[in-house]
């Protein structure tokens, strides 16, 4: 779109999760000429299986509702939105050049990366083959296909336990499997899950394979202590093995830690490239939460504003 006009934006924000949307609101309020590029709005909140209970001022709200409030707020400001994937960011002659999947080149004086993260895959046999045929990373999207069926959740952290609670309203029986002997989810969540007759935790196991003919029929797992293999008949497998940052498009412009998260100045959220900021789950902060990502988005926009004033 902007190719023909060779328009230069003050700020391009990449990402439409809590970090990117908040950055957009703050940039809009500073009257920066801002473009927000995102594949979709909501990011990881779209995978949220139960209500959000830790966003200040909104003690209990669904992910869908929270995101629609975020987007509604963003749209109060004249921030241009482009629903596309950005595939490369470069810096040339003092300006940033962002290439999108549809071959648009967009130019700006500053960029905020709010790229978030996507689900980590297990890299086991059957995972790719049965994706959409029983394997899913999103219970809220696919849970209803498993009404009165037996399902497995891989991963005993908060996300896995929340999914189990959500699926307990739909599925007949839910098994949570994890490499650790004991669950890693918050204690309060564990208590809720363990009080359900439908949910069983199986710890100290390694998933070897997902099997079936046309659709998933079972998983093979190994007990770590004994190396004994077991077959668990299930129709659905929900994978919650953590997340990986989506930082491929800025190779060379930023430094990464060992988890491929972007290194930033913790105060200003600047990367090693002048005018390039990063916020939210794509950065190296230890805690990944909506309020933290939003706070970083706000800070990055305000520091980008200061940078642009200079
Ligand atoms: C199942 C689950 C439950 C959770 N529950 C809670 C909870 O109860 N409370 C809480 O505080 N936190 C929770 N979290 C964590 C919270 O969702 C994240 O910390 C937060 O969403 C991070 O926001 P973000 O904007 O940094 O990234 P994301 O939410 O990951 O958003 C990133 C956005 O960037 C877009 N994007 C990425 N790359 C590109 C690209 N190249 N081009 C264009 N667009 C791109 C994506 O499409 C997405 O819209 C949960 C996470 C999960 C997975």
């Amino acid at each position: 779109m902007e190719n023909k006009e060779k328009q230069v934006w003050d700020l391009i924000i990449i990402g439409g999760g809590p970090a990117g949307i908040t950055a957009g609101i703050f940039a809009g309020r500073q009257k920066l000429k801002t473009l927000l590029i995102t594949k979709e709005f909501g990011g990881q909140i779209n995978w949220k299986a139960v209500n959000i209970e830790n966003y200040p001022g909104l003690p209990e709200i669904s992910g869908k509702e929270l995101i629609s409030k975020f987007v509604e707020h963003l749209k109060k400001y004249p921030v241009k939105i482009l629903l596309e994937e950005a595939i490369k960011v470069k810096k040339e002659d003092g300006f940033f050049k962002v290439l999108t999947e549809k071959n648009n080149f967009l130019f700006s004086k500053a960029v905020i990366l709010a790229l978030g993260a996507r689900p980590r895959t297990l890299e086991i046999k059957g995972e790719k083959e049965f994706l959409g045929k029983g394997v899913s990373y999103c219970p809220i999207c696919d849970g209803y296909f498993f009404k009165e069926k037996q399902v497995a959740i891989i991963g005993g952290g908060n996300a896995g336990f929340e999914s189990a609670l959500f699926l307990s309203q739909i599925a007949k029986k839910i098994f949570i499997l994890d490499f650790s002997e004991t669950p890693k989810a918050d204690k309060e969540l564990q208590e809720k899950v363990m009080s359900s007759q439908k949910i069983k935790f199986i710890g100290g196991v390694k998933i070897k394979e997902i099997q079936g003919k046309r659709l998933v029929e079972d998983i093979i797992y190994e007990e770590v202590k004994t190396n004994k293999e077991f077959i668990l008949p299930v129709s659905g497998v929900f994978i919650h093995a953590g997340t990986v940052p989506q930082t491929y498009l800025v190779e060379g412009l930023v430094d990464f830690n060992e988890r491929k998260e972007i290194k930033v100045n913790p105060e200003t959220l600047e990367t090693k490239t002048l005018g390039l900021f990063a916020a939210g789950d794509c950065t190296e902060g230890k805690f990944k939460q909506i309020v933290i990502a939003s706070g970083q988005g706000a800070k990055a926009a305000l520091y980008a504003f200061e940078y642009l004033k200079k």
Side-chain angles (χ1 to χ4, degrees):
M1 60 165 195
E2 272 66 25
N3 310 29
K4 295 161 208 137
E5 305 148 36
K6 284 263 184 274
Q7 184 172 9
V8 178
W9 299 90
D10 289 329
L11 178 65
I12 291 180
I13 297 164
I14 309 175
I21 298 175
T22 312
I25 293 169
F26 276 72
R29 290 177 62 79
Q30 297 298 341
K31 307 237 179 301
L32 293 179
K33 208 169 90 185
T34 304
L35 172 68
L36 189 151
I37 306 173
T38 188
K39 286 187 267 188
E40 39 75 45
F41 280 114
Q44 292 165 70
I45 297 184
N46 291 319
W47 315 335
K48 185 80 189 147
V50 295
N51 284 345
I52 293 159
E53 294 182 359
N54 60 0
Y55 194 80
L58 299 166
E60 198 172 347
I61 186 163
S62 74
K64 208 171 154 202
E65 209 185 332
L66 182 63
I67 272 305
S68 72
K69 280 184 188 289
F70 268 48
V71 176
E72 198 184 311
H73 193 168
L74 172 70
K75 287 186 175 166
K76 274 182 70 183
Y77 302 101
V79 171
K80 177 92 181 159
I81 293 161
L82 179 62
L83 288 174
E84 269 190 54
E85 179 171 357
I87 54 173
K88 189 79 203 157
V89 181
K90 287 183 181 174
K91 193 172 184 191
E92 288 173 2
D93 306 323
F95 290 100
F96 289 95
K97 191 172 167 183
V98 180
L99 172 65
T100 71
E101 54 175 337
K102 292 189 184 149
N103 248 354
N104 282 310
F105 280 103
L106 294 323
F107 299 89
S108 68
K109 298 173 196 161
V111 168
I112 296 176
L113 306 164
L115 306 166
R118 61 173 168 71
R120 187 182 295 280
T121 52
L122 294 174
E123 303 300 323
I124 56 164
K125 199 161 167 229
E127 184 180 19
K128 266 198 198 117
E129 295 85 331
F130 290 107
L131 185 63
K133 296 171 188 161
V135 172
S136 168
Y137 300 88
C138 179
I140 197 140
C141 322
D142 303 325
Y144 286 95
F145 296 120
F146 302 96
K147 200 163 170 35
E148 288 305 313
K149 302 253 169 76
Q150 192 151 287
V151 298
I153 292 173
I154 317 298
N158 279 342
F161 270 62
E162 286 185 356
S163 290
L165 270 187
F166 172 73
L167 289 167
S168 67
Q169 303 161 58
I170 305 162
K172 186 167 78 187
K173 181 89 190 168
I174 300 120
F175 297 92
I176 307 175
L177 295 98
D178 198 285
F179 193 75
S180 340
E181 290 281 342
T182 50
K184 297 180 291 277
D186 294 344
K187 289 281 172 275
E188 197 185 322
L189 197 54
Q190 282 191 40
E191 278 167 22
K192 275 190 197 165
V193 166
M194 297 311 184
S195 67
S196 165
Q197 301 290 317
K198 281 187 171 184
I199 308 171
K200 186 175 175 206
F201 179 79
I202 307 175
V205 297
K206 195 173 164 201
I207 314 305
K208 306 277 285 192
E209 192 178 335
I210 300 167
Q211 297 191 126
K213 291 185 194 83
R214 207 173 52 81
L215 301 171
V216 167
E217 288 171 15
D218 52 60
I219 55 174
I220 303 179
Y221 69 87
E222 182 185 283
E223 210 172 54
V224 179
K225 268 191 191 155
T226 59
N227 287 343
K228 258 199 199 160
E229 276 192 5
F230 296 86
I231 294 184
L232 181 67
V234 287
S235 311
V237 181
F238 291 91
I239 298 171
H240 288 294
T243 54
V244 274
Q246 307 190 71
T247 45
Y248 55 91
L249 68 167
V250 283
E251 296 276 350
L253 287 179
V254 302
D255 286 330
F256 296 111
N257 67 7
E258 65 290 350
R259 291 187 299 277
K260 272 280 178 192
E261 295 165 336
I262 300 170
K263 290 189 172 186
V264 286
N265 173 328
E267 170 53 29
T268 62
L269 299 162
E270 280 171 301
T271 66
K272 71 170 182 185
T273 301
L274 211 61
L276 183 60
F277 299 78
D281 283 17
C282 65
T283 67
E284 61 181 338
K286 180 174 173 189
F287 298 108
K288 312 288 191 199
Q289 292 285 278
I290 300 163
V291 71
I292 296 171
S294 297
Q296 288 192 343
K299 234 181 173 189
L302 293 173
Y303 275 108
F305 176 64
E306 275 202 349
Y307 166 79
L308 289 164
K309 269 199 310 191
K310 286 182 209 154

